[in-house]
Amino acid sequence: MPAARVEYIAPWWVVWLHSVPHLSLRLQPVDSTFRPRDESYQESLLFLGLVAAVCLGLNLIFLAAYLVCACCCRRADAVPTKRHNACCVTWTAVVAGLLCCAAVGVGFYGNSETNDGVYRLTYALDNANNTFSGIDELVSGTTQRMKVDLEQHLARLSEIFAARGDYLQTLKFIQQMAGSILVQMAGVPTWREVTTQLTELATQTGYVEHYRWLSYLLFFILDLVICLLTCLGLAKRSRCLLASTLCCGTLALVLSWTALAADAAAAVGASDFCVAPDTFILNVTEGQVPADMTRYYLYCSQSGSSPFQQALTVFQRSLTSMQIQVAGLLQSAVPLFPTAEKDLLGIQLLLNSSESSLHQLTALLDCRGLHKDYLDALAGICYDGLEGLLYLGLFSILAALAFSTVTCVGPRAWKHFATRDRDYDDIDDDDPFNPQARRIAAHNPTRGQLRSFCSYSSGLGSQTSLQPPAQTISNAPVSEYMNQAVLFGGNPRYENVPLIGRGSPPPTYSPSMRATYLSVADGQLRHYGNEFPA
């Protein structure tokens, strides 16, 4: 059955990344051929990381300049300006949060794709290792049977057939065929060194990938926590949460640029390999595996012949000849030498076992199995893995933009909180509608014993049930009426008298509330003035 090969075609992003200029630290062009052990090539990948570090420095300088300008510049505290600032801060925070969530979503997809690609690579390496190990076991087992087991049977038969020269000639022929098989088995290379290298590569790759995947997962969680703390800080107007998110956002910004540097270097290096993987593998295996065997497994063309075809053919012919000779000895020599039957049957079983090993060896040495593993490994690196790295790079850029926006929003939100607190400080501490007055009253129980002067509804509810004493309504100071309220046990009917008598509401009343309050006050003055004359 002819071998069919699925052609490997490098995707467009491999070609695009491979075209990125490769420069050394001295800004000199470097050959983009994948050479991971070459110092100049390593410098070209390190240069990409330094570019990301420079971008991080520029980003931090811009944020520092913005923070200095935001802290030094003062604006007029006009109401429209404050409302505009609050609206701008709110919408900017919303955009930053959505951008951060989108970045985390892209990052999750990229992290999963990269993990799938690495898993596909390690799985292909394990399959190739199993194939190479199976070849070595079959070759060593066949060699063991031909060298040791067959020689023991032939030595005993030589003693039994010592008087028969024709039988000894047959045994000599069987021994020659066994030697021919051993020569062909010696031509099959041992893959122990290759298996050791592939096992080490798969182990290291899986180890690094595990911690890479876990690190990105923790980074995603950190980004979401920072977004949540930012939302809580803005909603609760908490300066502590806002300061914490600014510090964490700066840390996440640094981590984003660092991750971008690592992803860029890894993506460009992987693209350099994926452009010409066959060339790199031929260079690596030179001196360890014959070049014709390496090309046989890399290309697996229908027109190309297997380098093991001659050895397998000789193996098959030798086994067939040996089986024929052993069958003839069983028919002719056993009636004359019954003691030879056991050794002849042992040789026959040995040859049958060797024939089964030959079929398995032929299947394992065929290029289609190993070539499929090779294509799977390339797909894992160049398709899934490299695509995932691109998405992770996009995540790093979006995350850096989101946290830069959060850092820019922080000073504006801080100034807005300070403006609101300053507006509360301008209100009279005795004003019951002042939120700070409520906070002070909660910590000062002596003031909480006096009831509010503004419980108008409670005063109206008590007018029909309580008989008022002969008390004159006057325009006395507030402190005098406070004393009267204490003397009368805090009667709710007389709690609103000072406000009515003063003829003006607290300074924080709105115009509509002030008009309503004055109309109610005039009506009560006319009613109680006629009923209780002074």
Side-chain angles (χ1 to χ4, degrees):
M1 181 177 179
R5 182 194 184 220
V6 179
E7 294 290 337
Y8 164 74
I9 301 176
W12 63 267
W13 54 79
V14 168
V15 180
W16 175 66
L17 289 172
H18 181 66
S19 62
V20 172
H22 291 63
L23 300 175
S24 65
L25 298 180
R26 299 179 180 86
L27 301 181
Q28 296 178 353
V30 177
D31 185 13
S32 59
T33 304
F34 185 67
R35 294 169 287 116
R37 297 182 180 180
D38 186 73
E39 293 183 0
S40 60
Y41 183 78
Q42 293 175 358
E43 288 183 2
S44 66
L45 298 181
L46 181 61
F47 180 79
L48 297 175
L50 293 179
V51 171
V54 171
C55 294
L56 170 62
L58 294 177
N59 193 358
L60 293 178
I61 291 174
F62 168 77
L63 292 178
Y66 178 83
L67 292 177
V68 171
C69 294
C71 294
C72 295
C73 295
R74 299 289 184 181
R75 289 187 177 182
D77 295 334
V79 175
T81 303
K82 290 188 290 185
R83 291 179 179 176
H84 176 74
N85 290 340
C87 183
C88 181
V89 168
T90 301
W91 283 108
T92 306
V94 170
V95 171
L98 293 177
L99 191 62
C100 182
C101 293
V104 171
V106 172
F108 266 112
Y109 178 77
N111 198 34
S112 177
E113 283 292 305
T114 304
N115 186 260
D116 291 342
V118 175
Y119 174 78
R120 194 170 181 178
L121 169 63
T122 55
Y123 185 77
L125 292 177
D126 290 337
N127 285 339
N129 275 335
N130 292 332
T131 301
F132 289 136
S133 299
I135 293 174
D136 289 340
E137 289 178 1
L138 291 175
V139 171
S140 61
T142 303
T143 303
Q144 175 72 18
R145 285 190 293 268
M146 293 300 168
K147 276 187 176 181
V148 180
D149 299 338
L150 182 61
E151 287 293 334
Q152 292 177 355
H153 290 295
L154 292 177
R156 286 193 292 267
L157 289 174
S158 297
E159 295 176 357
I160 297 173
F161 299 148
R164 296 292 302 265
D166 53 346
Y167 292 158
L168 291 177
Q169 188 67 26
T170 303
L171 294 179
K172 186 177 180 180
F173 177 79
I174 293 175
Q175 190 173 9
Q176 290 177 354
M177 293 297 102
S180 177
I181 291 176
L182 290 176
V183 171
Q184 300 304 323
M185 290 297 97
V188 178
T190 57
W191 304 95
R192 291 186 181 89
E193 186 175 356
V194 175
T195 303
T196 302
Q197 293 178 356
L198 292 180
T199 302
E200 183 179 358
L201 177 62
T203 303
Q204 292 180 354
T205 303
Y207 179 81
V208 173
E209 171 59 20
H210 172 72
Y211 286 100
R212 186 209 62 81
W213 177 83
L214 183 61
S215 299
Y216 267 102
L217 184 63
L218 295 177
F219 190 21
F220 299 151
I221 296 175
L222 175 64
D223 291 351
L224 294 177
V225 169
I226 293 174
C227 290
L228 179 60
L229 291 179
T230 303
C231 295
L232 290 177
L234 294 176
K236 292 182 172 296
R237 303 183 182 277
S238 173
R239 294 184 178 181
C240 180
L241 286 177
L242 187 60
S244 300
T245 54
L246 289 178
C247 296
C248 295
T250 305
L251 175 61
L253 181 64
V254 175
L255 292 177
S256 298
W257 283 108
T258 304
L260 180 61
D263 293 337
V268 173
S271 67
D272 294 337
F273 167 78
C274 294
V275 166
D278 301 339
T279 304
F280 173 75
I281 294 176
L282 285 171
N283 294 332
V284 169
T285 58
E286 186 178 2
Q288 300 179 3
V289 181
D292 57 341
M293 295 183 185
T294 306
R295 290 191 179 92
Y296 172 67
Y297 290 116
L298 290 180
Y299 301 108
C300 194
S301 60
Q302 297 180 1
S303 59
S305 60
S306 171
F308 309 103
Q309 186 63 41
Q310 183 179 358
L312 295 176
T313 302
V314 173
F315 192 178
Q316 180 65 51
R317 289 176 181 176
S318 301
L319 278 178
T320 303
S321 300
M322 293 171 67
Q323 288 173 345
I324 293 174
Q325 296 297 327
V326 171
L329 288 176
L330 283 172
Q331 293 179 358
S332 61
V334 169
L336 300 175
F337 302 97
T339 57
E341 181 179 7
K342 181 178 179 181
D343 289 311
L344 289 175
L345 290 176
I347 293 176
Q348 192 175 40
L349 291 175
L350 185 148
L351 294 178
N352 292 336
S353 176
S354 298
E355 186 178 13
S356 177
S357 300
L358 173 63
H359 295 315
Q360 296 179 18
L361 185 61
T362 303
L364 291 177
L365 289 175
D366 187 78
C367 66
R368 286 173 292 183
L370 286 173
H371 184 69
K372 181 181 181 300
D373 296 332
Y374 174 63
L375 292 180
D376 288 341
L378 288 181
I381 299 174
C382 306
Y383 281 84
D384 295 337
L386 198 52
E387 183 183 4
L389 288 177
L390 291 177
Y391 278 105
L392 288 177
L394 179 60
F395 153 75
S396 299
I397 295 175
L398 294 177
L401 182 59
F403 290 119
S404 298
T405 306
V406 169
T407 307
C408 293
V409 167
R412 300 175 65 89
W414 191 282
K415 293 174 64 176
H416 183 64
F417 296 167
T419 302
R420 290 182 59 90
D421 292 341
R422 187 168 59 251
D423 293 341
Y424 286 143
D425 291 338
D426 293 339
I427 303 174
D428 188 6
D429 291 338
D430 293 334
D431 182 9
F433 293 96
N434 184 4
Q436 293 196 10
R438 298 194 198 106
R439 292 195 292 267
I440 295 173
H443 296 284
N444 191 0
T446 58
R447 293 189 60 181
Q449 294 176 358
L450 298 179
R451 299 190 179 182
S452 173
F453 287 91
C454 300
S455 56
Y456 174 72
S457 59
S458 63
L460 291 179
S462 61
Q463 290 176 4
T464 57
S465 60
L466 298 177
Q467 294 298 327
Q471 186 70 23
T472 304
I473 299 175
S474 63
N475 293 327
V478 177
S479 59
E480 180 180 350
Y481 284 95
M482 291 173 61
N483 295 332
Q484 293 178 7
V486 173
L487 291 175
F488 283 94
N491 192 330
R493 174 180 178 181
Y494 294 94
E495 291 178 10
N496 56 0
V497 173
L499 295 179
I500 298 174
R502 288 165 59 187
S504 62
T508 55
Y509 280 13
S510 62
S512 59
M513 189 174 181
R514 176 187 178 90
T516 304
Y517 205 97
L518 290 176
S519 62
V520 173
D522 292 340
Q524 287 189 349
L525 285 174
R526 288 193 298 268
H527 173 72
Y528 293 117
N530 296 330
E531 185 177 355
F532 303 104

